[in-house]
């Protein structure tokens, strides 16, 4: 009888310890923030989306996947056609957040070479879907992050992202940038 009781206590304690360990490890996942706006380069059809690692550990094995998603009517409902967008290379590692640093190495600007504004105007019921997969530096636990962009008039801003941990886009007019570059070249 004591042997059975010892086995039951051993099994229950290992189940409880495993559950506590899984709970702790599952909380140690990357914490990424994706900008709510897309920055459009005023001189070329290049678009950027800012991603910031908010975690105390680095995010590893980053994979970016951007698509134009277009709903298509089908018999009995609709399906979503995904058209891949041409993106720049993803970094292998997005460094951890350091509160005292002024460098902000934990921010990355994903470059999308496809003309998003034109694609969304050609397909008015479409949207842009960005998916990012990252793993935690210590635990290796992965997490998927997703952001959707529906309204090109309000979510695509001509300009560039401000420096640091802010996700705001500093608006810039096409003519203003050309004038300032012409002034730099003349001096």
């Amino acid at each position: 009888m004591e042997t059975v009781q010892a086995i039951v206590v051993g099994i229950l304690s290992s189940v409880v310890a495993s559950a506590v360990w899984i709970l702790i490890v599952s909380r140690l996942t990357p914490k990424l923030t994706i900008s709510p706006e897309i920055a459009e380069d005023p001189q070329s059809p290049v678009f950027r989306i800012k991603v910031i690692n908010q975690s105390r550990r680095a995010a590893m094995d980053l994979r970016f996947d951007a698509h134009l998603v277009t709903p298509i009517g089908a018999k009995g409902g609709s399906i979503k056609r995904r058209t891949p967008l041409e993106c720049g290379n993803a970094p292998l590692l997005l460094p951890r957040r350091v509160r005292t640093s002024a460098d902000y190495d934990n921010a990355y600007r994903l470059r999308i070479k496809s003309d998003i504004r034109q694609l969304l105007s050609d397909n008015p019921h479409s949207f842009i879907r960005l998916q990012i997969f990252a793993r935690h530096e210590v635990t290796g636990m992965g997490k998927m992050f997703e952001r959707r962009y529906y309204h090109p008039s309000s979510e695509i801003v001509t300009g560039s992202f401000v420096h640091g941990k802010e996700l705001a886009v500093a608006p810039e007019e096409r003519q203003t940038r050309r004038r300032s570059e012409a002034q730099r070249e003349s001096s």
Side-chain angles (χ1 to χ4, degrees), residues 19-55:
V20 169
W21 177 251
I22 288 173
L23 180 67
I24 291 170
V25 170
S26 67
R27 293 186 156 273
L28 295 175
T29 59
K31 295 172 182 72
L32 301 182
T33 305
I34 304 171
S35 65
E37 297 174 325
I38 300 172
E40 179 182 10
D41 189 343
Q43 292 188 330
S44 63
V46 172
F47 298 84
R48 288 186 173 80
I49 298 173
K50 190 172 183 180
V51 179
I52 298 177
N53 182 9
Q54 302 288 356
S55 177

Side-chain angles (χ1 to χ4, degrees), residues 69-75 77-83 125-126:
V69 181
T70 307
I72 299 172
K75 192 172 188 176
S78 69
I79 58 173
K80 292 185 167 101
R81 181 179 63 200
R82 296 179 303 150
T83 307
H125 299 291
S126 299

Side-chain angles (χ1 to χ4, degrees), residues 74-184:
K75 192 172 188 176
S78 69
I79 58 173
K80 292 185 167 101
R81 181 179 63 200
R82 296 179 303 150
T83 307
L85 300 175
E86 187 180 350
C87 296
N89 294 334
L92 295 175
L93 176 92
L94 194 55
R96 68 187 183 102
R97 172 181 55 109
V98 179
R99 291 183 188 191
T100 59
S101 175
D103 293 337
Y104 298 106
D105 292 335
N106 62 325
Y108 177 72
R109 292 178 177 106
L110 173 66
R111 183 180 196 175
I112 298 177
K113 300 172 187 171
S114 303
D115 191 352
I116 294 173
R117 191 180 294 276
Q118 186 63 40
L119 288 170
L120 287 173
S121 65
D122 291 347
N123 305 304
H125 299 291
S126 299
F127 60 91
I128 302 297
R129 182 177 63 197
L130 173 65
Q131 294 176 324
I132 302 172
F133 178 79
R135 292 189 185 277
H136 192 268
E137 176 183 35
V138 175
T139 63
M141 296 289 287
K143 189 171 181 182
M144 178 70 75
F145 300 88
E146 182 175 310
R147 169 75 70 169
R148 295 180 181 198
Y149 301 94
Y150 292 97
H151 308 288
S153 60
S154 62
E155 293 175 336
I156 298 176
V157 178
T158 303
S160 59
F161 285 102
V162 296
H163 177 73
K165 62 182 179 180
E166 300 296 321
L167 294 172
V169 178
E172 189 172 324
E173 296 295 325
R174 293 175 193 259
Q175 295 174 351
T176 307
R177 185 168 184 171
R178 286 188 193 133
R179 250 188 255 127
S180 63
E181 288 179 357
Q183 288 172 352
R184 273 187 249 138

